Amino acid sequence: MSKTIGILTGGGDCPGLNAVIRGVVRSAIFTHDWRVVGIRDGFEGLVGELQTVELNLPQIGGILPRGGTIIGTSNRGNPFSFPVERDGQIVQEDLSDSVIANFKKAGIDALIAVGGDGTLKIANQLYAKGLPVVGIPKTIDNDLSATDVTFGYNTAVEVVMEALDRLHTTAESHHRALVVEVMGRDAGWIALEAGIAGGADVILIPEIPIDFSAVCAAMRARRERGRRFSIIVVAEGATPLAGEKVVVKSAAENLGVERLGGIGAYVAQQVGQCMAMETRTVVLGHLQRGGSPSSFDRILGSRFGVYAVEMIAAQQFGRMCALRGRDIVSVSLAAAVGQPNQVDPRGNLVATAEQLGINLGRQKVPWSPVAD
Ligand code: F6P
Protein backbone atom coordinates (compact mmCIF):
# COMPACT_ATOMS: atom_id res chain seq x y z
CA MET A 1 0.00 0.00 0.00
CA SER A 2 1.34 3.43 -0.91
CA LYS A 3 2.41 5.67 1.99
CA THR A 4 3.73 9.18 2.53
CA ILE A 5 6.46 9.55 5.15
CA GLY A 6 7.42 12.86 6.73
CA ILE A 7 10.96 13.41 8.01
CA LEU A 8 12.22 16.25 10.20
CA THR A 9 15.61 17.05 11.70
CA GLY A 10 15.48 18.83 15.07
CA GLY A 11 17.96 20.42 17.50
CA GLY A 12 21.55 21.30 16.60
CA ASP A 13 22.69 20.05 13.20
CA CYS A 14 25.43 17.46 12.92
CA PRO A 15 27.39 15.62 10.24
CA GLY A 16 25.46 12.62 8.92
CA LEU A 17 21.96 14.15 8.84
CA ASN A 18 21.96 14.16 5.05
CA ALA A 19 23.09 10.52 5.01
CA VAL A 20 20.00 9.70 7.09
CA ILE A 21 17.69 11.69 4.78
CA ARG A 22 19.21 9.99 1.75
CA GLY A 23 18.87 6.55 3.39
CA VAL A 24 15.19 7.19 4.16
CA VAL A 25 14.36 8.50 0.68
CA ARG A 26 16.25 5.84 -1.26
CA SER A 27 14.89 2.92 0.72
CA ALA A 28 11.34 4.33 0.81
CA ILE A 29 11.40 4.72 -2.99
CA PHE A 30 13.45 1.70 -4.05
CA THR A 31 12.03 -0.83 -1.59
CA HIS A 32 8.46 0.37 -1.03
CA ASP A 33 7.64 2.92 -3.72
CA TRP A 34 6.59 5.34 -0.97
CA ARG A 35 6.63 9.14 -1.10
CA VAL A 36 8.81 11.18 1.31
CA VAL A 37 8.33 14.80 2.33
CA GLY A 38 10.80 16.80 4.37
CA ILE A 39 9.42 19.05 7.10
CA ARG A 40 11.37 22.29 7.18
CA ASP A 41 13.25 23.47 10.27
CA GLY A 42 12.32 20.76 12.74
CA PHE A 43 9.04 21.04 14.65
CA GLU A 44 8.75 24.68 13.60
CA GLY A 45 7.69 23.38 10.18
CA LEU A 46 4.78 21.44 11.71
CA VAL A 47 3.34 24.32 13.75
CA GLY A 48 1.09 26.91 12.10
CA GLU A 49 1.29 26.60 8.34
CA LEU A 50 2.86 23.27 7.37
CA GLN A 51 6.26 23.80 5.71
CA THR A 52 7.26 20.83 3.59
CA VAL A 53 9.52 19.98 0.68
CA GLU A 54 9.18 16.97 -1.66
CA LEU A 55 12.12 14.60 -1.32
CA ASN A 56 12.57 12.75 -4.60
CA LEU A 57 15.72 11.12 -5.95
CA PRO A 58 16.97 14.33 -7.69
CA GLN A 59 16.65 16.31 -4.41
CA ILE A 60 18.92 13.91 -2.55
CA GLY A 61 21.53 13.54 -5.32
CA GLY A 62 25.04 14.31 -4.05
CA ILE A 63 24.08 15.01 -0.43
CA LEU A 64 25.92 12.08 1.20
CA PRO A 65 29.18 14.01 1.83
CA ARG A 66 27.43 17.26 2.77
CA GLY A 67 27.34 18.53 6.34
CA GLY A 68 24.26 20.13 7.90
CA THR A 69 20.75 19.16 6.83
CA ILE A 70 19.09 19.97 3.50
CA ILE A 71 15.69 20.38 5.20
CA GLY A 72 16.89 22.78 7.90
CA THR A 73 16.66 22.41 11.66
CA SER A 74 15.86 24.40 14.76
CA ASN A 75 16.38 23.99 18.47
CA ARG A 76 13.37 26.22 19.11
CA GLY A 77 9.72 25.47 18.35
CA ASN A 78 8.62 22.89 20.91
CA PRO A 79 4.91 22.54 19.93
CA PHE A 80 4.00 21.81 23.57
CA SER A 81 5.46 25.14 24.65
CA PHE A 82 5.53 27.37 21.59
CA PRO A 83 6.29 31.10 21.88
CA VAL A 84 3.35 33.18 20.55
CA GLU A 85 2.54 36.87 20.80
CA ARG A 86 -0.59 37.71 22.82
CA ASP A 87 -1.47 41.35 23.52
CA GLY A 88 2.10 42.47 22.78
CA GLN A 89 3.59 39.86 25.11
CA ILE A 90 5.41 36.61 24.22
CA VAL A 91 3.79 33.67 26.01
CA GLN A 92 4.29 29.89 25.70
CA GLU A 93 1.30 27.91 24.39
CA ASP A 94 0.56 24.24 23.75
CA LEU A 95 0.01 24.02 19.97
CA SER A 96 0.41 20.25 19.72
CA ASP A 97 -3.19 19.74 18.56
CA SER A 98 -2.46 21.87 15.49
CA VAL A 99 0.56 19.66 14.72
CA ILE A 100 -1.61 16.53 14.73
CA ALA A 101 -4.25 18.31 12.59
CA ASN A 102 -1.61 19.58 10.10
CA PHE A 103 -0.13 16.18 9.85
CA LYS A 104 -3.49 14.55 8.99
CA LYS A 105 -4.41 17.35 6.57
CA ALA A 106 -1.17 16.82 4.64
CA GLY A 107 -1.91 13.09 4.33
CA ILE A 108 1.35 12.05 6.01
CA ASP A 109 1.12 8.49 7.31
CA ALA A 110 4.15 8.44 9.61
CA LEU A 111 6.85 10.78 10.89
CA ILE A 112 10.57 10.12 11.26
CA ALA A 113 12.01 12.52 13.86
CA VAL A 114 15.80 12.76 13.74
CA GLY A 115 17.25 14.44 16.80
CA GLY A 116 18.78 14.39 20.23
CA ASP A 117 17.25 14.28 23.66
CA GLY A 118 14.98 17.36 23.19
CA THR A 119 13.62 16.35 19.77
CA LEU A 120 13.01 12.74 20.80
CA LYS A 121 11.18 13.84 23.97
CA ILE A 122 8.80 15.92 21.83
CA ALA A 123 8.46 13.00 19.39
CA ASN A 124 7.48 10.73 22.29
CA GLN A 125 4.89 13.25 23.55
CA LEU A 126 3.40 13.47 20.04
CA TYR A 127 3.31 9.68 19.88
CA ALA A 128 1.34 9.68 23.15
CA LYS A 129 -1.15 11.99 21.37
CA GLY A 130 -1.59 9.46 18.56
CA LEU A 131 1.04 10.50 15.99
CA PRO A 132 2.74 7.48 14.35
CA VAL A 133 6.37 8.42 14.95
CA VAL A 134 9.77 6.73 14.72
CA GLY A 135 12.95 8.29 16.16
CA ILE A 136 16.56 8.35 14.98
CA PRO A 137 19.28 9.32 17.51
CA LYS A 138 21.50 12.23 16.45
CA THR A 139 23.98 14.37 18.36
CA ILE A 140 27.66 15.13 18.39
CA ASP A 141 27.44 14.93 22.22
CA ASN A 142 26.76 11.14 22.26
CA ASP A 143 24.65 11.64 25.38
CA LEU A 144 21.73 9.29 24.55
CA SER A 145 21.88 6.10 26.58
CA ALA A 146 19.68 3.75 24.52
CA THR A 147 22.20 3.54 21.68
CA ASP A 148 25.89 2.62 21.87
CA VAL A 149 26.65 5.73 19.85
CA THR A 150 24.80 8.52 18.03
CA PHE A 151 25.72 9.55 14.50
CA GLY A 152 27.64 12.83 14.27
CA TYR A 153 29.77 12.03 17.29
CA ASN A 154 32.53 10.26 15.39
CA THR A 155 33.04 13.21 13.02
CA ALA A 156 33.17 15.66 15.95
CA VAL A 157 35.88 13.55 17.62
CA GLU A 158 37.88 13.51 14.37
CA VAL A 159 37.63 17.32 14.08
CA VAL A 160 38.83 17.82 17.66
CA MET A 161 41.64 15.28 17.22
CA GLU A 162 42.89 17.09 14.13
CA ALA A 163 42.78 20.41 16.00
CA LEU A 164 44.82 18.89 18.85
CA ASP A 165 47.42 17.60 16.39
CA ARG A 166 47.75 21.11 14.94
CA LEU A 167 47.82 22.81 18.34
CA HIS A 168 50.62 20.54 19.60
CA THR A 169 53.21 22.04 17.24
CA THR A 170 52.49 25.64 18.15
CA ALA A 171 52.17 24.92 21.90
CA GLU A 172 55.54 23.15 21.86
CA SER A 173 57.27 25.90 19.85
CA HIS A 174 56.12 28.62 22.28
CA HIS A 175 56.33 26.57 25.52
CA ARG A 176 52.70 27.40 26.28
CA ALA A 177 49.74 25.69 27.84
CA LEU A 178 46.90 25.62 25.31
CA VAL A 179 43.42 25.07 26.68
CA VAL A 180 40.98 23.67 24.12
CA GLU A 181 37.28 24.02 25.01
CA VAL A 182 35.05 21.47 23.27
CA MET A 183 31.28 20.83 23.09
CA GLY A 184 29.31 17.98 24.65
CA ARG A 185 26.91 19.63 27.11
CA ASP A 186 26.85 17.54 30.31
CA ALA A 187 28.71 14.60 28.78
CA GLY A 188 32.50 14.39 28.47
CA TRP A 189 32.66 11.94 25.54
CA ILE A 190 34.07 14.33 22.93
CA ALA A 191 36.69 15.72 25.34
CA LEU A 192 37.75 12.30 26.58
CA GLU A 193 37.93 10.35 23.32
CA ALA A 194 39.35 13.19 21.23
CA GLY A 195 41.75 14.00 24.08
CA ILE A 196 43.06 10.43 24.15
CA ALA A 197 43.28 10.29 20.33
CA GLY A 198 45.00 13.69 20.17
CA GLY A 199 47.54 13.05 22.96
CA ALA A 200 46.21 15.62 25.45
CA ASP A 201 48.02 16.02 28.78
CA VAL A 202 44.95 17.03 30.80
CA ILE A 203 41.29 16.21 30.03
CA LEU A 204 38.54 17.82 32.09
CA ILE A 205 35.01 16.44 31.83
CA PRO A 206 31.66 17.24 33.48
CA GLU A 207 31.56 13.84 35.20
CA ILE A 208 34.70 14.62 37.27
CA PRO A 209 34.70 17.98 39.15
CA ILE A 210 38.00 19.78 38.52
CA ASP A 211 40.52 19.79 41.36
CA PHE A 212 43.07 22.38 40.19
CA SER A 213 45.67 21.28 42.72
CA ALA A 214 45.71 17.83 41.01
CA VAL A 215 45.91 19.42 37.54
CA CYS A 216 48.81 21.68 38.50
CA ALA A 217 50.69 18.89 40.29
CA ALA A 218 50.48 16.79 37.10
CA MET A 219 51.65 19.72 34.98
CA ARG A 220 54.60 20.37 37.32
CA ALA A 221 55.61 16.71 37.11
CA ARG A 222 55.47 16.99 33.32
CA ARG A 223 57.66 20.12 33.41
CA GLU A 224 60.15 18.26 35.63
CA ARG A 225 60.34 15.60 32.91
CA GLY A 226 61.48 18.37 30.56
CA ARG A 227 58.18 18.94 28.76
CA ARG A 228 57.59 22.70 28.74
CA PHE A 229 54.20 22.79 27.02
CA SER A 230 50.82 21.22 27.71
CA ILE A 231 47.56 20.58 25.86
CA ILE A 232 44.50 20.74 28.09
CA VAL A 233 41.11 19.65 26.70
CA VAL A 234 38.11 20.87 28.66
CA ALA A 235 34.47 19.94 27.99
CA GLU A 236 32.13 22.94 27.98
CA GLY A 237 30.11 21.41 30.85
CA ALA A 238 33.10 20.71 33.15
CA THR A 239 32.82 22.35 36.57
CA PRO A 240 35.44 23.33 39.17
CA LEU A 241 35.32 21.33 42.42
CA ALA A 242 34.55 24.55 44.26
CA GLY A 243 32.42 26.47 41.81
CA GLU A 244 29.56 26.63 39.36
CA LYS A 245 29.09 25.57 35.75
CA VAL A 246 30.27 28.42 33.48
CA VAL A 247 27.53 29.62 31.11
CA VAL A 248 27.18 32.28 28.43
CA LYS A 249 23.44 32.46 29.09
CA SER A 250 21.42 30.85 31.86
CA ALA A 251 18.37 28.71 31.04
CA ALA A 252 16.10 31.58 32.12
CA GLU A 253 17.78 33.93 29.61
CA ASN A 254 17.78 31.39 26.77
CA LEU A 255 14.27 29.85 26.44
CA GLY A 256 14.91 27.17 29.05
CA VAL A 257 18.26 25.86 27.71
CA GLU A 258 21.60 26.87 29.22
CA ARG A 259 24.14 28.10 26.66
CA LEU A 260 27.42 26.71 27.93
CA GLY A 261 30.79 28.34 27.35
CA GLY A 262 33.65 30.07 29.10
CA ILE A 263 35.16 27.24 31.16
CA GLY A 264 38.21 27.22 28.82
CA ALA A 265 39.14 30.78 29.75
CA TYR A 266 38.63 29.99 33.44
CA VAL A 267 40.89 26.92 33.25
CA ALA A 268 43.56 28.93 31.37
CA GLN A 269 43.52 31.57 34.08
CA GLN A 270 43.81 29.02 36.93
CA VAL A 271 46.61 27.07 35.22
CA GLY A 272 48.43 30.25 34.19
CA GLN A 273 48.51 31.31 37.83
CA CYS A 274 49.60 28.05 39.42
CA MET A 275 52.19 27.23 36.74
CA ALA A 276 53.38 30.80 36.10
CA MET A 277 53.34 30.07 32.36
CA GLU A 278 51.81 31.59 29.28
CA THR A 279 48.40 30.11 28.46
CA ARG A 280 45.99 30.55 25.55
CA THR A 281 42.41 29.36 25.01
CA VAL A 282 40.94 27.91 21.82
CA VAL A 283 37.17 27.42 21.65
CA LEU A 284 36.41 24.95 18.85
CA GLY A 285 32.65 25.65 19.00
CA HIS A 286 30.54 24.95 15.92
CA LEU A 287 33.54 23.76 13.89
CA GLN A 288 32.80 20.45 15.62
CA ARG A 289 29.35 20.29 14.03
CA GLY A 290 30.12 21.52 10.54
CA GLY A 291 31.50 19.89 7.41
CA SER A 292 31.56 16.50 5.83
CA PRO A 293 30.70 13.39 7.90
CA SER A 294 33.27 10.65 8.52
CA SER A 295 32.78 7.26 6.86
CA PHE A 296 31.52 5.92 10.21
CA ASP A 297 28.79 8.58 10.40
CA ARG A 298 27.81 8.14 6.75
CA ILE A 299 27.39 4.40 7.29
CA LEU A 300 25.58 4.72 10.65
CA GLY A 301 23.31 7.47 9.27
CA SER A 302 22.49 5.35 6.21
CA ARG A 303 21.75 2.29 8.38
CA PHE A 304 19.50 4.32 10.71
CA GLY A 305 17.61 5.84 7.74
CA VAL A 306 16.97 2.47 6.11
CA TYR A 307 16.04 0.86 9.44
CA ALA A 308 13.56 3.62 10.32
CA VAL A 309 11.70 3.03 7.03
CA GLU A 310 11.46 -0.68 7.88
CA MET A 311 10.18 0.21 11.38
CA ILE A 312 7.36 2.13 9.69
CA ALA A 313 6.65 -0.84 7.39
CA ALA A 314 6.47 -3.04 10.51
CA GLN A 315 4.28 -0.45 12.32
CA GLN A 316 6.83 -0.08 15.14
CA PHE A 317 5.81 3.37 16.31
CA GLY A 318 6.85 5.17 19.50
CA ARG A 319 10.25 3.60 19.03
CA MET A 320 13.76 4.63 18.02
CA CYS A 321 16.45 2.78 16.10
CA ALA A 322 19.69 2.28 18.01
CA LEU A 323 23.13 0.76 17.52
CA ARG A 324 23.80 -2.15 19.89
CA GLY A 325 27.12 -3.85 19.30
CA ARG A 326 27.22 -4.40 15.55
CA ASP A 327 23.45 -4.46 15.02
CA ILE A 328 20.72 -1.89 14.63
CA VAL A 329 17.74 -2.58 16.90
CA SER A 330 14.51 -0.83 17.84
CA VAL A 331 14.07 0.52 21.40
CA SER A 332 11.19 2.42 23.00
CA LEU A 333 11.37 6.21 22.74
CA ALA A 334 10.52 6.43 26.42
CA ALA A 335 13.64 4.41 27.30
CA ALA A 336 15.72 6.43 24.84
CA VAL A 337 14.99 9.76 26.52
CA GLY A 338 15.20 8.46 30.10
CA GLN A 339 18.73 8.51 31.47
CA PRO A 340 21.46 10.57 29.76
CA ASN A 341 24.58 8.74 28.64
CA GLN A 342 27.56 10.10 30.57
CA VAL A 343 31.15 8.98 31.00
CA ASP A 344 31.65 6.57 33.91
CA PRO A 345 34.40 8.14 36.12
CA ARG A 346 35.36 4.59 37.24
CA GLY A 347 35.07 3.04 33.78
CA ASN A 348 37.73 1.63 31.51
CA LEU A 349 37.97 4.67 29.21
CA VAL A 350 38.79 7.02 32.08
CA ALA A 351 41.17 4.42 33.53
CA THR A 352 42.92 4.08 30.15
CA ALA A 353 43.49 7.83 30.07
CA GLU A 354 44.85 7.84 33.62
CA GLN A 355 47.13 4.84 32.98
CA LEU A 356 48.46 6.75 29.95
CA GLY A 357 49.51 9.54 32.32
CA ILE A 358 46.73 11.96 31.34
CA ASN A 359 45.40 14.01 34.25
CA LEU A 360 41.61 13.96 34.58
CA GLY A 361 41.35 16.81 37.07
CA ARG A 362 41.70 14.51 40.06
CA GLN A 363 44.25 12.25 41.76
CA LYS A 364 44.74 9.11 39.65
CA VAL A 365 42.33 6.34 40.75
CA PRO A 366 43.74 2.76 41.03
CA TRP A 367 42.23 0.39 38.49
CA SER A 368 42.43 -3.27 37.60
CA PRO A 369 40.84 -5.35 34.81
CA VAL A 370 37.54 -7.12 35.38
CA ALA A 371 37.29 -10.80 34.35
CA ASP A 372 33.98 -11.68 32.67
O1 F6P B 1 23.89 19.40 21.46
C1 F6P B 1 24.81 19.74 20.48
C2 F6P B 1 25.50 21.03 20.83
O2 F6P B 1 26.44 21.30 19.81
C3 F6P B 1 26.17 21.06 22.21
O3 F6P B 1 27.38 20.36 22.22
C4 F6P B 1 26.28 22.53 22.44
O4 F6P B 1 26.29 22.86 23.82
C5 F6P B 1 25.03 23.07 21.81
O5 F6P B 1 24.60 22.11 20.87
C6 F6P B 1 25.22 24.40 21.13
O6 F6P B 1 24.00 24.81 20.65
P1 F6P B 1 23.80 26.11 19.73
O7 F6P B 1 24.09 25.70 18.32
O8 F6P B 1 22.38 26.47 19.94
O9 F6P B 1 24.77 27.15 20.21
Side-chain angles (χ1 to χ4, degrees), residues 27 39 46 79 128 207 215 227-228 292 312 323 360:
S27 79
I39 291 145
L46 273 177
E207 295 84 349
V215 174
R227 304 296 272 163
R228 294 170 59 200
S292 191
I312 292 173
L323 181 70
L360 270 281

Side-chain angles (χ1 to χ4, degrees), residues 7 16-30 55 57 60-65 70 298 301-302 305-306 309:
I7 178 167
L17 281 165
N18 288 326
V20 172
I21 295 169
R22 176 178 176 272
V24 166
V25 174
R26 287 177 72 109
S27 79
I29 292 175
F30 291 143
L55 292 174
L57 294 173
I60 56 148
I63 67 170
L64 186 58
I70 59 162
R298 293 183 198 193
S302 301
V306 168
V309 169

Side-chain angles (χ1 to χ4, degrees), residues 12-13 75-76 138-141 143 182-185 190 236 254 258-260 285-286 289:
D13 70 331
N75 45 18
R76 309 252 182 274
K138 161 245 68 162
T139 165
I140 63 161
D141 304 338
D143 59 355
V182 302
M183 284 184 166
R185 297 208 70 82
I190 297 178
E236 61 182 359
N254 197 40
E258 271 175 342
R259 180 157 353 136
L260 301 174
H286 292 84
R289 289 207 329 227

